[in-house]
Amino acid sequence: MKQVDSKWISFILYALVATSLVLTWRIMSVPSGATNIQTIAPTQTSTSISNVKSMEEIFSPHRLTFHTQSNTFVASDERIIKHADSFLKNNQMGEIVFDSTYAKETYDEFILKRNRIELRFPAAVPIEMISRYFNSVPEGMGKNSINRILISTAVEEPIYLLDDESRNVYTAERFEGSIEPLMRLYSANKDFYVNANAYSFKDTIKFLPQSDVTLNRVDYLVEKTTKQLF
Protein backbone atom coordinates (compact mmCIF):
# COMPACT_ATOMS: atom_id res chain seq x y z
CA MET A 1 0.00 0.00 0.00
CA LYS A 2 2.82 2.32 0.86
CA GLN A 3 4.52 1.57 -2.45
CA VAL A 4 1.33 2.48 -4.41
CA ASP A 5 0.94 5.77 -2.49
CA SER A 6 4.57 6.63 -3.18
CA LYS A 7 4.06 6.11 -6.91
CA TRP A 8 1.02 8.38 -6.92
CA ILE A 9 2.86 11.11 -5.01
CA SER A 10 5.80 10.93 -7.42
CA PHE A 11 3.41 11.11 -10.40
CA ILE A 12 1.68 14.18 -8.97
CA LEU A 13 5.01 15.90 -8.31
CA TYR A 14 6.24 15.22 -11.85
CA ALA A 15 2.92 16.52 -13.22
CA LEU A 16 3.22 19.74 -11.21
CA VAL A 17 6.79 20.29 -12.39
CA ALA A 18 5.77 19.71 -16.02
CA THR A 19 2.83 22.06 -15.67
CA SER A 20 5.09 24.70 -14.14
CA LEU A 21 7.57 24.42 -17.03
CA VAL A 22 4.79 24.69 -19.61
CA LEU A 23 3.35 27.79 -17.94
CA THR A 24 6.81 29.39 -17.71
CA TRP A 25 7.44 28.76 -21.42
CA ARG A 26 4.00 30.16 -22.23
CA ILE A 27 4.64 33.38 -20.31
CA MET A 28 8.11 33.89 -21.80
CA SER A 29 7.37 33.09 -25.44
CA VAL A 30 3.81 34.28 -26.08
CA PRO A 31 3.23 38.10 -25.94
CA SER A 32 0.47 39.24 -23.73
CA GLY A 33 -2.50 41.27 -24.95
CA ALA A 34 -2.41 45.01 -25.59
CA THR A 35 -0.68 46.81 -22.81
CA ASN A 36 -1.55 50.38 -22.05
CA ILE A 37 1.65 52.22 -21.12
CA GLN A 38 1.33 55.78 -19.91
CA THR A 39 4.34 58.01 -20.48
CA ILE A 40 4.83 60.61 -17.82
CA ALA A 41 6.68 63.69 -18.98
CA PRO A 42 9.46 64.80 -16.65
CA THR A 43 8.68 67.81 -14.57
CA GLN A 44 10.28 70.89 -16.07
CA THR A 45 11.71 73.32 -13.61
CA SER A 46 11.86 76.81 -14.99
CA THR A 47 14.78 78.90 -13.87
CA SER A 48 14.23 82.59 -13.66
CA ILE A 49 17.36 84.63 -14.35
CA SER A 50 17.08 88.29 -13.63
CA ASN A 51 19.22 91.07 -15.04
CA VAL A 52 20.29 89.10 -18.11
CA LYS A 53 22.68 91.12 -20.29
CA SER A 54 22.43 91.25 -24.05
CA MET A 55 25.46 90.64 -26.27
CA GLU A 56 25.68 94.36 -27.02
CA GLU A 57 25.75 95.16 -23.31
CA ILE A 58 28.44 92.58 -22.60
CA PHE A 59 30.68 93.65 -25.48
CA SER A 60 30.46 97.36 -24.84
CA PRO A 61 32.88 99.96 -23.45
CA HIS A 62 33.07 100.37 -19.70
CA ARG A 63 34.83 103.73 -19.57
CA LEU A 64 34.66 107.00 -21.48
CA THR A 65 37.72 109.25 -21.33
CA PHE A 66 38.18 112.81 -22.56
CA HIS A 67 41.77 113.90 -23.17
CA THR A 68 41.62 117.67 -23.26
CA GLN A 69 44.56 119.92 -24.01
CA SER A 70 45.68 119.95 -20.38
CA ASN A 71 43.80 117.22 -18.42
CA THR A 72 42.22 113.80 -18.67
CA PHE A 73 38.69 113.14 -17.38
CA VAL A 74 37.20 109.68 -16.91
CA ALA A 75 33.58 108.54 -16.52
CA SER A 76 32.15 105.07 -15.86
CA ASP A 77 28.51 106.05 -15.43
CA GLU A 78 26.32 103.49 -17.19
CA ARG A 79 23.99 106.11 -18.66
CA ILE A 80 26.88 108.01 -20.25
CA ILE A 81 28.44 104.81 -21.61
CA LYS A 82 25.13 103.80 -23.19
CA HIS A 83 24.86 107.17 -24.92
CA ALA A 84 28.39 106.80 -26.31
CA ASP A 85 27.63 103.26 -27.47
CA SER A 86 24.41 104.42 -29.12
CA PHE A 87 26.23 107.28 -30.86
CA LEU A 88 28.76 104.92 -32.47
CA LYS A 89 26.02 102.49 -33.44
CA ASN A 90 24.08 105.28 -35.19
CA ASN A 91 27.20 106.85 -36.75
CA GLN A 92 28.98 103.82 -38.13
CA MET A 93 32.62 103.96 -39.14
CA GLY A 94 33.77 103.04 -42.62
CA GLU A 95 36.52 100.76 -43.89
CA ILE A 96 38.90 99.22 -41.35
CA VAL A 97 42.59 99.03 -42.33
CA PHE A 98 45.58 97.63 -40.44
CA ASP A 99 48.00 100.48 -39.75
CA SER A 100 51.04 99.10 -37.94
CA THR A 101 52.45 97.22 -34.96
CA TYR A 102 54.14 99.78 -32.74
CA ALA A 103 57.08 99.51 -30.38
CA LYS A 104 56.05 100.03 -26.76
CA GLU A 105 57.42 103.58 -26.42
CA THR A 106 55.77 104.70 -29.66
CA TYR A 107 52.52 102.96 -28.68
CA ASP A 108 52.48 104.69 -25.28
CA GLU A 109 53.13 108.08 -26.89
CA PHE A 110 50.26 107.43 -29.27
CA ILE A 111 47.88 106.80 -26.35
CA LEU A 112 49.07 109.93 -24.50
CA LYS A 113 48.18 112.32 -27.34
CA ARG A 114 45.75 115.06 -26.37
CA ASN A 115 42.40 116.29 -27.74
CA ARG A 116 40.88 112.83 -28.12
CA ILE A 117 37.87 110.92 -26.95
CA GLU A 118 38.65 107.39 -25.80
CA LEU A 119 36.27 104.48 -25.35
CA ARG A 120 37.90 101.73 -23.33
CA PHE A 121 36.80 98.11 -23.07
CA PRO A 122 37.36 96.02 -19.91
CA ALA A 123 39.19 93.38 -21.97
CA ALA A 124 40.24 92.75 -25.55
CA VAL A 125 37.12 92.46 -27.73
CA PRO A 126 37.04 90.84 -31.21
CA ILE A 127 36.04 93.40 -33.81
CA GLU A 128 33.23 91.12 -34.99
CA MET A 129 31.59 91.47 -31.57
CA ILE A 130 31.28 95.24 -32.04
CA SER A 131 30.42 95.10 -35.74
CA ARG A 132 27.48 97.41 -34.97
CA TYR A 133 30.02 100.27 -34.99
CA PHE A 134 31.02 99.68 -38.64
CA ASN A 135 29.38 99.76 -42.04
CA SER A 136 31.07 96.42 -42.70
CA VAL A 137 33.90 94.31 -41.31
CA PRO A 138 36.33 92.99 -43.94
CA GLU A 139 36.74 89.23 -44.15
CA GLY A 140 39.53 88.06 -41.87
CA MET A 141 39.44 91.25 -39.80
CA GLY A 142 36.65 90.26 -37.40
CA LYS A 143 38.83 87.96 -35.28
CA ASN A 144 41.30 90.74 -34.48
CA SER A 145 40.80 92.23 -31.02
CA ILE A 146 40.94 95.77 -29.69
CA ASN A 147 40.90 97.42 -26.27
CA ARG A 148 40.41 101.08 -27.20
CA ILE A 149 38.72 103.33 -29.71
CA LEU A 150 40.33 106.76 -30.10
CA ILE A 151 38.41 109.57 -31.79
CA SER A 152 40.35 112.76 -32.44
CA THR A 153 38.63 116.13 -32.23
CA ALA A 154 40.40 116.95 -35.50
CA VAL A 155 37.92 115.94 -38.20
CA GLU A 156 40.65 115.17 -40.75
CA GLU A 157 42.02 112.29 -38.67
CA PRO A 158 40.68 108.74 -38.95
CA ILE A 159 39.43 106.80 -35.95
CA TYR A 160 42.02 104.54 -34.32
CA LEU A 161 41.41 101.06 -32.95
CA LEU A 162 44.09 99.79 -30.57
CA ASP A 163 45.02 96.39 -29.17
CA ASP A 164 47.12 96.79 -26.01
CA GLU A 165 48.41 93.20 -26.00
CA SER A 166 49.84 93.09 -29.52
CA ARG A 167 50.18 96.90 -29.87
CA ASN A 168 48.47 96.60 -33.23
CA VAL A 169 46.82 99.79 -34.47
CA TYR A 170 43.98 99.85 -37.01
CA THR A 171 42.35 102.84 -38.64
CA ALA A 172 38.69 103.18 -39.51
CA GLU A 173 37.19 105.68 -41.92
CA ARG A 174 35.57 108.46 -39.95
CA PHE A 175 31.79 108.76 -39.89
CA GLU A 176 30.23 111.72 -41.66
CA GLY A 177 28.36 113.11 -38.66
CA SER A 178 29.65 115.63 -36.13
CA ILE A 179 31.21 114.50 -32.85
CA GLU A 180 29.37 117.27 -31.02
CA PRO A 181 26.94 114.78 -29.35
CA LEU A 182 29.96 112.98 -27.93
CA MET A 183 31.49 116.25 -26.73
CA ARG A 184 28.25 117.09 -24.93
CA LEU A 185 28.54 113.84 -22.97
CA TYR A 186 31.36 115.62 -21.16
CA SER A 187 30.33 119.28 -21.21
CA ALA A 188 26.78 118.53 -19.96
CA ASN A 189 27.75 115.87 -17.40
CA LYS A 190 30.94 117.11 -15.74
CA ASP A 191 29.77 115.95 -12.32
CA PHE A 192 30.08 112.34 -13.48
CA TYR A 193 33.73 112.72 -14.49
CA VAL A 194 36.84 112.57 -12.35
CA ASN A 195 40.31 113.81 -13.09
CA ALA A 196 42.67 110.97 -14.00
CA ASN A 197 46.41 110.46 -14.25
CA ALA A 198 48.30 108.28 -16.71
CA TYR A 199 50.22 105.32 -15.29
CA SER A 200 52.59 103.11 -17.20
CA PHE A 201 52.11 99.37 -16.75
CA LYS A 202 53.96 96.45 -18.27
CA ASP A 203 51.56 96.13 -21.20
CA THR A 204 50.19 99.62 -21.70
CA ILE A 205 49.17 103.01 -20.33
CA LYS A 206 46.14 103.21 -18.05
CA PHE A 207 44.30 106.31 -16.88
CA LEU A 208 43.33 105.94 -13.24
CA PRO A 209 41.14 108.36 -11.27
CA GLN A 210 42.86 110.58 -8.75
CA SER A 211 40.07 109.91 -6.25
CA ASP A 212 37.93 106.92 -5.31
CA VAL A 213 35.06 106.10 -7.65
CA THR A 214 32.07 103.77 -7.38
CA LEU A 215 31.42 101.34 -10.21
CA ASN A 216 27.72 100.73 -10.80
CA ARG A 217 27.92 97.92 -13.36
CA VAL A 218 29.37 94.47 -13.80
CA ASP A 219 32.40 93.85 -15.99
CA TYR A 220 32.37 90.50 -17.74
CA LEU A 221 35.70 88.67 -17.78
CA VAL A 222 36.50 85.96 -20.30
CA GLU A 223 38.94 83.27 -19.21
CA LYS A 224 41.47 82.15 -21.81
CA THR A 225 41.95 78.37 -21.73
CA THR A 226 45.49 77.10 -21.66
CA LYS A 227 46.94 75.36 -24.67
CA GLN A 228 47.64 72.23 -22.64
CA LEU A 229 44.84 70.71 -20.61
CA PHE A 230 45.61 68.04 -18.00
Side-chain angles (χ1 to χ4, degrees):
M1 182 67 179
K2 289 182 179 180
Q3 187 175 0
V4 176
D5 292 340
S6 178
K7 288 181 179 181
W8 275 106
I9 293 173
S10 297
F11 174 78
I12 293 172
L13 290 175
Y14 282 123
L16 290 174
V17 170
T19 303
S20 176
L21 291 174
V22 171
L23 292 174
T24 301
W25 171 82
R26 176 75 177 177
I27 293 171
M28 297 295 293
S29 62
V30 180
S32 61
T35 303
N36 185 18
I37 301 176
Q38 182 180 4
T39 302
I40 302 176
T43 304
Q44 296 182 352
T45 304
S46 60
T47 304
S48 177
I49 302 177
S50 60
N51 198 26
V52 175
K53 299 289 185 180
S54 67
M55 292 296 289
E56 288 192 3
E57 289 176 310
I58 294 173
F59 294 100
S60 67
H62 76 142
R63 184 166 293 174
L64 183 63
T65 304
F66 281 82
H67 303 283
T68 67
Q69 186 61 40
S70 56
N71 293 299
T72 295
F73 299 95
V74 175
S76 299
D77 182 76
E78 187 173 1
R79 181 181 60 87
I80 292 176
I81 300 300
K82 283 184 176 180
H83 278 295
D85 178 81
S86 179
F87 175 84
L88 287 182
K89 188 165 60 174
N90 295 327
N91 296 270
Q92 294 179 327
M93 294 173 261
E95 183 181 4
I96 308 171
V97 178
F98 172 71
D99 178 26
S100 180
T101 299
Y102 287 73
K104 187 179 188 309
E105 288 185 2
T106 308
Y107 187 81
D108 290 349
E109 290 176 1
F110 191 83
I111 293 176
L112 290 171
K113 286 185 178 181
R114 314 306 301 174
N115 297 320
R116 285 178 169 175
I117 303 169
E118 176 183 331
L119 286 92
R120 178 111 163 101
F121 295 88
V125 176
I127 293 175
E128 63 185 0
M129 294 299 179
I130 53 172
S131 60
R132 62 188 182 276
Y133 294 163
F134 308 96
N135 289 329
S136 63
V137 177
E139 185 176 356
M141 186 71 73
K143 301 297 181 183
N144 297 332
S145 299
I146 64 169
N147 299 84
R148 310 171 191 258
I149 298 176
L150 296 179
I151 305 173
S152 173
T153 56
V155 295
E156 65 273 8
E157 285 194 43
I159 295 175
Y160 297 98
L161 316 173
L162 281 67
D163 178 16
D164 290 345
E165 184 175 348
S166 64
R167 295 193 297 276
N168 287 338
V169 176
Y170 308 87
T171 61
E173 186 180 359
R174 198 181 184 96
F175 45 80
E176 296 181 357
S178 170
I179 65 168
E180 183 59 29
L182 274 181
M183 300 297 293
R184 284 200 300 270
L185 288 180
Y186 169 66
S187 60
N189 301 279
K190 290 185 177 181
D191 290 343
F192 292 94
Y193 289 81
V194 294
N195 208 332
N197 292 330
Y199 293 89
S200 179
F201 288 82
K202 179 181 178 181
D203 297 328
T204 187
I205 296 290
K206 294 184 179 180
F207 298 94
L208 303 180
Q210 295 179 1
S211 57
D212 294 339
V213 295
T214 301
L215 299 180
N216 58 357
R217 59 166 294 171
V218 177
D219 288 340
Y220 288 80
L221 303 181
V222 179
E223 180 182 359
K224 293 184 177 179
T225 57
T226 57
K227 294 181 178 179
Q228 294 180 346
L229 298 177
F230 297 92

